[in-house]
Amino acid sequence: MASTVLHFRSETKLFERRSPLTSTTAKALLDAGYERSLGRVFADKEFGAIGATLVLEGSWVDVPKDHIIVGLKELPEDDTPLYHSHIQFGHCYENWDRYTSRFARGGGTLYDLEFLTDDSGRCVSAFGYYAGYAGAATALLAWSQVVESTTLLPSIRKYPSAPALLGDVNTSLTSALPQENNQHPNILIMGALGRCGKGAVGFCIAAGIPTSNLLKWDMEETSRRRAIHPNRSRRHLYQLCLSLHSSPPSSPQHLNSNPKTSLTVYF
């Protein structure tokens, strides 16, 4: 029986450094063909060290049709038929018919990471721990920026690792907290028990946010679509960590209209 070959392609989206596979997870996939990429956060040598075959960037278009192409973001827009099975985020909200027709014309298949679910309907790949982790980090950087200078957060630099990101956030918080009488921000995390929400909570705790400052909502709280109690409404940061098919039970507009609320960052 022939083995399944996963061809790990490079990304074409500008500034995209994330990776759907790490060298650790790829260790179990030694038949994978890994496209060299200078932009990815993991170095090529990390994949080579565990036995992955390094191939030229963009070479996935010429590999056998039974190879599965693994990526993160959608491919560049054109009308080229797609013959392989692709695992990636489709992100085809606009011109979706043109994008999906490429698979139909080529006989390929799109396994969209955003819509892969288990038997209970829960997402199995999208909205992971580090999505919430990075989101909380960005929100705290934005809050610190507003507190210190009342200006919006400029572009965010690249971080080589989670500890480097945490260190930068801690520096920003240390500088901003004296402006708030050394009081940490109050944070509402909606979807706190999911993978993404757990990442947001995990980063906040790692950054020194007291657990008493974290209001963690999940299915029980949101299913009743209740409003945030006025005594708990002084939220400085509001982070959504769930998949929405309608408006959230307490929208940013609701929070901003409450005179006891001081919403600074909505993420």
Side-chain angles (χ1 to χ4, degrees):
M1 181 177 177
S3 61
T4 299
V5 177
L6 300 180
H7 187 107
F8 188 18
R9 66 170 174 82
S10 62
E11 298 298 320
T12 57
K13 297 286 286 188
L14 191 62
F15 305 126
E16 183 56 75
R17 300 180 67 239
R18 294 175 299 169
S19 173
L21 289 176
T22 69
S23 56
T24 302
T25 55
K27 189 173 182 180
L29 306 172
L30 296 185
D31 287 331
Y34 170 76
E35 285 192 3
R36 299 175 183 273
S37 174
L38 295 176
R40 190 174 285 124
V41 68
F42 298 103
D44 291 345
K45 63 182 180 181
E46 295 182 56
F47 290 89
I50 55 91
T53 303
L54 301 182
V55 296
L56 295 176
E57 186 172 17
S59 61
W60 66 266
V61 296
D62 297 318
V63 301
K65 293 182 181 179
D66 61 346
H67 288 199
I68 300 174
I69 313 302
V70 181
L72 187 70
K73 287 292 189 68
E74 71 276 18
L75 296 166
E77 289 189 21
D78 61 43
D79 291 320
T80 306
L82 296 171
Y83 303 98
H84 301 91
S85 293
H86 287 258
I87 301 175
Q88 64 186 39
F89 283 104
H91 285 174
C92 48
Y93 308 116
E94 297 180 2
N95 302 319
W96 63 268
D97 51 345
R98 177 183 176 187
Y99 189 75
T100 55
S101 71
R102 298 174 64 188
F103 293 92
R105 286 184 283 113
T109 302
L110 171 62
Y111 295 98
D112 196 325
L113 291 170
E114 191 161 358
F115 300 104
L116 292 181
T117 60
D118 61 17
D119 292 339
S120 66
R122 295 181 67 91
C123 292
V124 297
S125 56
F127 316 113
Y129 182 91
Y130 280 101
Y133 190 94
T138 305
L140 287 170
L141 286 172
W143 179 82
S144 299
Q145 176 78 14
V146 170
V147 166
E148 275 207 275
S149 63
T150 68
T151 60
L152 298 179
L153 182 69
S155 59
I156 300 174
R157 70 180 183 89
K158 297 177 181 178
Y159 293 95
S161 65
L165 173 60
L166 178 60
D168 208 7
V169 172
N170 282 335
T171 299
S172 296
L173 286 173
T174 299
S175 181
L177 284 174
Q179 309 298 322
E180 292 287 304
N181 296 317
N182 291 316
Q183 297 296 309
H184 286 85
N186 294 311
I187 303 171
L188 168 61
I189 299 174
M190 194 169 289
L193 297 184
R195 291 176 303 165
C196 184
K198 288 178 180 176
V201 172
F203 185 87
C204 289
I205 292 174
I209 305 298
T211 55
S212 59
N213 288 50
L214 299 177
L215 181 59
K216 295 175 281 189
W217 275 23
D218 206 82
M219 294 291 290
E220 181 180 355
E221 294 81 5
T222 59
S223 62
R224 295 192 294 271
R225 296 187 64 83
R226 68 183 187 182
I228 298 175
H229 191 279
N231 291 337
R232 292 186 169 185
S233 65
R234 293 189 64 83
R235 299 293 122 184
H236 300 105
L237 283 78
Y238 180 94
Q239 183 167 353
L240 287 179
C241 297
L242 59 141
S243 178
L244 290 177
H245 300 285
S246 60
S247 61
S250 293
S251 67
Q253 289 79 13
H254 162 81
L255 292 174
N256 277 330
S257 64
N258 189 330
K260 296 184 179 181
T261 299
S262 53
L263 180 65
T264 304
V265 179
Y266 172 56
F267 200 88

